[in-house]
Amino acid sequence: MTELLPARLFAPLALTAVAALGLLVWVLKNGDLCPGQRRRISDGAMSVWAVFGLALMLGVEAGVSVTMLWLGGVTLAAGLGTVLYQARMQGKRSLDVSWHYPALILAVVYGALIGWRMGPGWALLAAGAGGCVFAHLIMVRARHRLQAFNVLLPLAGTAFGVIWLLALVVKAAGLSEPVQNAMVMPFVQVSAAVLLGALVWWLPLLRKEQTKPPVIAVATLLILGALTLGQGMIWHMAGNIS
């Protein structure tokens, strides 16, 4: 099963990075940010490109097409170039948000191609769940003061995760009984990861505490793990693996 891991991780990681980048660019464009917050959130895009680069390396192992690898490489170069150019700026100065647009456009195209291969519905749900939690992690690490996002991102991410689970149930309902029986344990694992991740994500709000990066990091790992397991279930139900 380990040889299938790169293929299972590739799409969730890439879609998570693309969605998180889109959310961060939206915040930079529309959020009421001081120069310090703007600079820290912009610098946080480096984490997005690190995950995107990891997805590309996994794509090589997974046998992704050369076209996808080249497009991903150009996208990664554009994104890293923007972040590294900003790193040369002193103090709290940061590049205008429009500097991130070329890499964002390329990333969206890349995500759309993944969605075409994976299925638009599955891709949207994976991007929504993973992107919300990862963007929230970056914003919390950047010490943002947009308190509404501490509620909106967990709410949206949890909704995407729950819909992901429901979609798996609907997909499995139309399969034969032996296949359904084989899906029970993986579905329990996916459900546990999603629900536990959501609980950890919501814990600071429920306890009325300040949201801290380690908590969101745990939620991120759990949700990405759920998406990876869910990817394996989708393949199994589609008959792509035995």
Side-chain angles (χ1 to χ4, degrees):
M1 298 297 290
T2 55
E3 66 272 12
L4 296 174
L5 187 59
R8 291 181 178 182
L9 279 168
F10 165 69
L13 284 181
L15 291 170
T16 291
V18 171
L21 178 65
L23 287 169
L24 293 178
V25 170
W26 189 92
V27 168
L28 289 171
K29 179 176 175 59
N30 299 288
D32 184 13
L33 303 170
C34 68
Q37 292 179 78
R38 187 173 299 278
R39 174 60 187 262
R40 291 192 297 271
I41 292 175
S42 296
D43 288 343
M46 178 62 78
S47 297
V48 170
W49 295 116
V51 170
F52 189 84
L54 175 59
L56 276 184
M57 290 188 287
L58 292 169
V60 174
E61 293 292 325
V64 173
S65 68
V66 175
T67 301
M68 290 287 289
L69 294 177
W70 272 104
L71 177 58
V74 172
T75 303
L76 180 62
L80 285 178
T82 302
V83 175
L84 293 176
Y85 183 70
Q86 178 176 272
R88 301 174 57 187
M89 304 176 71
Q90 299 296 321
K92 298 180 180 179
R93 297 170 57 212
S94 60
L95 295 172
D96 185 78
V97 66
S98 60
W99 282 74
H100 296 279
Y101 289 171
L104 175 61
I105 292 171
L106 290 171
V108 170
V109 172
Y110 195 81
L113 291 175
I114 293 176
W116 177 72
R117 295 177 60 224
M118 181 181 180
W122 297 115
L124 178 62
L125 294 173
C132 284
V133 69
F134 190 37
H136 195 200
L137 173 61
I138 293 171
M139 291 176 65
V140 170
R141 289 177 59 191
R143 303 191 301 278
H144 78 100
R145 298 172 188 169
L146 304 174
Q147 295 303 318
F149 282 88
N150 288 333
V151 177
L152 293 175
L153 289 176
L155 184 63
T158 300
F160 278 114
V162 171
I163 295 172
W164 169 273
L165 293 178
L166 294 176
L168 289 175
V169 172
V170 172
K171 180 74 173 178
L175 301 176
S176 63
E177 185 174 347
V179 177
Q180 290 179 349
N181 292 336
M183 292 291 98
V184 171
M185 184 54 65
F187 181 75
V188 170
Q189 294 171 339
V190 172
S191 300
V194 169
L195 297 178
L196 185 57
L199 178 61
V200 171
W201 200 358
W202 280 94
L203 196 59
L205 289 173
L206 297 175
R207 300 179 64 177
K208 298 182 179 179
E209 297 177 348
Q210 182 180 0
T211 304
K212 297 180 180 179
V215 176
I216 311 302
V218 172
T220 302
L221 290 174
L222 287 168
I223 290 176
L224 286 178
L227 295 176
T228 302
L229 291 170
Q231 181 70 49
M233 289 183 63
I234 294 169
W235 285 356
H236 191 95
M237 289 186 290
N240 291 332
I241 60 175
S242 58

